Amino acid sequence: MTPEEEKSPSAREDPYALALQAGRGPVYLRFADGRRTRLPVRRWGARPTGADETLLERCNGPVLDVGCGPGRLCGALLDRGVFALGIDVAPHAIARTETRGGAALCRSVFDPLPAEGSWQSLLLVDGNIGIGGDPHALLRRCTQLIAPTGVLLVEVEQHDVEEGCTAWVEDTHGNRGPAFLWACLGAPAVRRVAESLGLSVTDQWISGRRCFLSLGRHDSRPSVVASHAPRAQLR
């Protein structure tokens, strides 16, 4: 966001920030072509779902949660005794995370971050594979952040899609926040990007209506087939 956008009325009254404060919507992700999708703000502010639990069970600490939102996953990991740090560019998201007892920094994934190259698990969930509108640049940066044996745990669209777009958050009254670049990717597209970066899919699973991939560096871990069942909790 530019300084001009930060000072503009639309940025000060960003529907996303207001929804995070209230812990509920409805707010929508609106695309420049006219499509929109409702953002599950209430779910983000609640306790982890069953699908979230399948993700948490695959986390080895320390964990970096990129685009942590109000911190439901960070808080749940800390409750499990797994150190987790959240990062988000939305100050209200950081405040909510800290209120839940989590640790978080108001930073972009492309900013300098603590312990670069040492994170064992990095989370890109709730659509955050779309951050910046350039999945190749995003996954390359995330690969720099994890340890040699670390993994990227990525939520993807269930259908085969690969598109970049301009989007913004808006409420039911048409009030909108600043525009940003975004991307939507399904599992095949993420696999292609991962392969170009020397990453392999080490796990793939579906829980309810949500789909996840685990990505690791080539030869760091054996490849496994897609699974719908959660692994035993790692300790």
Side-chain angles (χ1 to χ4, degrees):
M1 184 185 301
T2 67
E4 289 74 20
E5 287 173 322
E6 290 176 346
K7 295 175 183 178
S8 70
S10 63
R12 290 198 303 268
E13 300 167 5
D14 184 356
Y16 177 64
L18 296 175
L20 286 181
Q21 284 182 294
R24 55 185 172 81
V27 290
Y28 301 88
L29 185 64
R30 172 75 75 175
F31 301 103
D33 65 4
R35 292 173 299 150
R36 75 175 188 178
T37 182
R38 184 166 177 167
L39 296 176
V41 177
R42 190 180 297 275
R43 172 167 68 79
W44 295 343
R47 295 181 60 82
T49 63
D52 291 331
E53 292 292 340
T54 69
L55 186 71
L56 298 173
E57 288 165 354
R58 289 166 165 82
C59 286
N60 284 315
V63 179
L64 182 66
D65 185 2
V66 175
C68 64
R72 78 185 188 285
L73 300 180
C74 288
L77 286 166
L78 291 172
D79 288 344
R80 291 167 175 252
V82 178
F83 177 75
L85 175 69
I87 60 170
D88 203 293
V89 297
H92 290 297
I94 301 305
R96 286 289 303 278
T97 300
E98 293 175 341
T99 298
R100 300 172 83 141
L105 296 174
C106 191
R107 295 187 194 175
S108 163
V109 66
F110 296 103
D111 291 336
L113 294 170
E116 294 197 11
S118 300
W119 299 94
Q120 286 296 330
S121 304
L122 185 148
L123 301 179
L124 278 174
V125 301
D126 299 324
N128 286 331
I129 185 63
I131 289 173
D134 185 345
H136 190 278
L138 176 62
L139 289 180
R140 182 174 62 242
R141 171 59 176 151
C142 290
T143 303
Q144 295 170 350
L145 295 172
I146 59 172
T149 56
V151 296
L152 310 179
L153 298 171
V154 183
E155 184 171 359
V156 298
E157 299 288 340
Q158 284 209 44
H159 56 290
D160 188 5
V161 60
E162 182 177 8
E163 62 177 349
C165 54
T166 299
W168 56 86
V169 177
E170 68 178 27
D171 61 20
T172 54
H173 304 291
N175 300 314
R176 53 183 283 186
F180 50 84
L181 296 177
W182 197 248
C184 297
L185 280 84
V190 172
R191 283 177 176 269
R192 289 191 291 271
V193 176
E195 182 69 25
S196 72
L197 294 170
L199 299 170
S200 300
V201 175
T202 59
D203 198 1
Q204 179 176 346
W205 72 101
I206 293 173
S207 181
R209 296 181 178 181
R210 298 170 66 191
C211 182
F212 304 91
L213 298 177
S214 175
L215 307 176
R217 290 183 175 87
H218 286 323
D219 301 325
S220 62
R221 296 188 180 189
S223 179
V224 298
V225 297
S227 171
H228 293 257
R231 279 176 21 192
Q233 182 175 340
L234 297 172
R235 299 184 183 276

